Amino acid sequence: MLKGGKVGLRAPHEDDIPVLRAELFDDVVNASRAEAGPWRPVMPGAKDPRLEPDPTQQGSVPFSVVELQGGTLVGMANLWGIDTHNRCAHIGLGLLPSCRGKGYGSDVVAALCHYGFVVRGLHRLQIETLADNTAMLRAAERNGFVREGVLRSSAWVMGEFVDEVLLGLLARDYRPDARR
């Protein structure tokens, strides 16, 4: 398990799937803001590629996010779009609604940076988030990410186009204690 100050990142467990599905992916608004594509319902018992990734696919590493004290599931995170030639990847995370506003996001980003830079030896990590996602913007900037640009009207969310912000962090600028 990768440990941050408040949360740990561990392999997803089968028991996590119903909780994540109900609290993150069955919510049309939340899922529409988090996904690059349109929301679609998933039949009960059906495999959901967002929650049951293909273990043979090397371009993504999924984690379940748990509280260090007690091990309660608080969300999910991943390193995705891993490019081993250019040594870069993207960061993604989703916290359960009841677990937001507790500083977990900054801790998750820090743990993913440690995994990406120290464990995987990557050169660059990036985050794309909706421009109004102040919690994610704060979590990224607390960990040293720099705003690199705005992707104007690049995301279709609940009937309108919205801007996304692109943030990046290079290994040479990574400071493990940046969030403290």
Side-chain angles (χ1 to χ4, degrees), residues 43-67:
M43 291 176 25
K47 295 276 186 201
D48 186 340
R50 300 168 300 186
L51 297 171
E52 301 176 48
D54 180 354
T56 63
Q57 185 181 16
Q58 298 298 309
S60 180
V61 180
F63 296 98
S64 285
V65 181
V66 295
E67 290 178 321

Side-chain angles (χ1 to χ4, degrees), residues 32-43:
S32 295
R33 291 179 54 78
E35 301 274 322
W39 177 84
R40 291 195 278 174
V42 177
M43 291 176 25

Side-chain angles (χ1 to χ4, degrees), residues 76-154:
M76 61 181 292
N78 63 357
L79 219 59
W80 61 275
I82 299 171
D83 178 338
T84 55
H85 176 73
N86 293 304
R87 294 177 43 210
C88 60
H90 303 258
I91 285 179
L93 68 101
L95 297 175
L96 303 180
S98 63
C99 300
R100 296 174 186 158
K102 299 180 179 182
Y104 294 153
S106 292
D107 214 28
V108 171
V109 171
L112 287 171
C113 287
H114 175 81
Y115 179 73
F117 292 131
V118 177
V119 177
R120 297 292 298 250
L122 296 176
H123 171 69
R124 174 186 168 80
L125 294 174
Q126 74 181 49
I127 296 171
E128 299 88 4
T129 189
L130 299 178
D132 66 352
N133 188 348
T134 56
M136 187 63 200
L137 292 169
R138 248 190 334 265
E141 290 172 342
R142 284 183 181 149
N143 281 284
F145 280 79
V146 174
R147 290 183 192 218
E148 296 179 336
V150 174
L151 306 171
R152 298 180 307 133
S153 293
S154 63

Side-chain angles (χ1 to χ4, degrees), residues 28-29 32-33 37-39 130 153 155-162:
V28 178
V29 174
S32 295
R33 291 179 54 78
W39 177 84
L130 299 178
S153 293
W156 178 253
V157 179
M158 300 301 293
E160 67 178 322
F161 284 104
V162 296

